[in-house]
Amino acid sequence: MKHSDSALHHVGGKEFYPGCITDVPGIKLGNAQDDAALTGCTVIIAEEGAVCGVDVRGSAPGTRETELLHPTALVQHIHALCLSGGSAFGLEASHGVMRYLKEQGIGMDVGVGVVPIVPSAILFDLGLGDPHVTPNAAMGYAAARNAIATACPQGNIGAGMGATVGKYAGPDRVMKGGFGTASVQLPGGLVVGAAVAVNAIGEVRDPKTGTTLAGARQEDAGSFIDPLSFLTQMANPFGHTRPGTNTTIAAIACNGDLTKTEMSKVAQMAHNGLARTIYPVHTMYDGDTVFAMTTGGIAASVDLIGIWAAEVLGYAVHNAIIAAESAGGVPAWRDWQPHS
């Protein structure tokens, strides 16, 4: 087993986990964002189609076309995923993705043309930047047009542009979230990759050491408000939080020969990567959603892919936090967390 050949680099003494979801054969990724309004969207394209499943664990999701991904649904392949900021308004970005794919002749043949299948999920980033500007069809089109099959940037980009974390102690204590990706290459040509926009109510922890990377800040720089102690002492935990104002959205991609049912299982198992790195996670105030797609070609075990999906998703969450930069008055890990 080896990681992608993407060059390792460091920020503030922390090493990025290597690779990108585009290391999976047949996968492209594109981003578009508004740097001033601090919002954006990310598009993951499978031009030849991909078998896809989904698992929603948060209780405040914003999604589109997820019913099509159930094993009993007729459609067997998707052509792209759209991850977007903008709360429910951001679902409009998927229309632009569809328009771009249709222009390229990519989609399900319906006899009179093609209909691209683009499941989507959104996160709430209206509290940072300009809440009146949200990802729209034009931004989705641009993200799809920007899609490439090579390594992609991370941090304040795409769906992670306006993401924040550590909101359990109120908006004045938050830190910057972001977009992250990682991949691993396994024996026999199997590749498993992940992409994630981290916008959690909880804090984010290092997947290997368990130390807190970003969360609700104490007044003295360098320490965090412990979420378990803080929430236990409150008569109404999250009472200051409005529903649906968080959400971590992610995509797993691989090239294993798996069915829709098996990819739904991979999506379920991948959520363990969020549970290892985000605390608390899957709350009533999050809409945590994980898609799992495969381009096929390699015989593989659903359990092996599911195990690595969770591992790589944890890596991608880590990368999103250490790649993020301060924005809108919200500090990022690299600027606030002391480095040894």
Side-chain angles (χ1 to χ4, degrees), residues 13-307:
K14 282 284 187 182
E15 186 176 272
F16 279 84
Y17 288 99
C20 178
I21 195 170
T22 56
D23 293 329
V24 176
I27 296 295
K28 293 182 177 180
L29 184 143
N31 294 291
Q33 60 280 324
D34 187 315
D35 294 338
L38 297 179
T39 193
C41 64
T42 298
V43 177
I44 301 159
I45 295 177
E47 293 181 348
E48 300 301 318
V51 175
C52 188
V54 66
D55 190 53
V56 180
R57 295 284 173 94
S59 294
T63 57
R64 175 184 182 275
E65 299 278 43
T66 52
E67 289 295 318
L68 279 177
L69 304 183
H70 289 178
T72 56
L74 174 65
V75 173
Q76 294 300 304
H77 295 87
I78 69 164
H79 305 96
L81 294 171
C82 184
L83 310 179
S84 179
S87 190
F89 296 107
L91 291 173
E92 182 187 342
S94 59
H95 292 283
V97 180
M98 289 184 66
R99 181 161 56 87
Y100 174 83
L101 293 176
K102 181 181 178 182
E103 291 175 1
Q104 310 307 309
I106 299 169
M108 181 176 65
D109 188 353
V110 293
V112 292
V114 296
V115 176
I117 306 301
V118 185
S120 309
I122 53 86
L123 55 80
F124 184 97
D125 58 4
L126 304 182
L128 194 67
D130 187 346
H132 303 293
V133 177
T134 56
N136 55 19
M139 186 179 287
Y141 186 97
R145 185 183 58 209
N146 293 338
I148 56 175
T150 56
C152 49
Q154 304 182 71
N156 293 15
I157 194 165
M161 189 68 193
T164 53
V165 301
K167 286 166 274 195
Y168 53 89
D172 296 334
R173 305 289 187 180
V174 303
M175 291 182 66
K176 189 69 179 66
F179 172 78
T181 184
S183 70
V184 63
Q185 297 183 15
L186 301 168
L190 180 65
V191 184
V192 181
V196 62
V198 185
N199 186 61
I201 196 171
E203 68 178 22
V204 178
R205 299 173 177 177
D206 187 299
K208 294 298 186 183
T209 68
T211 57
T212 301
L213 296 174
R217 296 167 287 126
Q218 294 277 15
E219 291 184 2
D220 58 312
S223 61
F224 298 96
I225 299 172
D226 177 68
L228 186 59
S229 298
F230 179 83
L231 295 171
T232 300
Q233 294 171 7
M234 295 184 65
N236 181 19
F238 302 140
H240 55 276
T241 303
R242 295 186 177 182
T245 53
N246 306 286
T247 297
T248 295
I249 48 179
I252 300 296
C254 69
N255 59 340
D257 284 331
L258 299 185
T259 65
K260 282 177 71 176
T261 300
E262 290 171 323
M263 290 312 296
S264 295
K265 183 61 179 178
V266 169
Q268 288 180 359
M269 295 176 72
H271 270 283
N272 292 330
L274 300 185
R276 293 169 191 165
T277 52
I278 300 173
Y279 188 86
V281 72
H282 304 144
T283 74
M284 296 295 292
Y285 296 88
D286 291 291
D288 304 320
T289 300
V290 176
F291 297 100
M293 60 195 298
T294 183
T295 54
I298 302 294
S301 157
V302 62
D303 288 315
L304 180 64
I305 292 176
I307 291 167

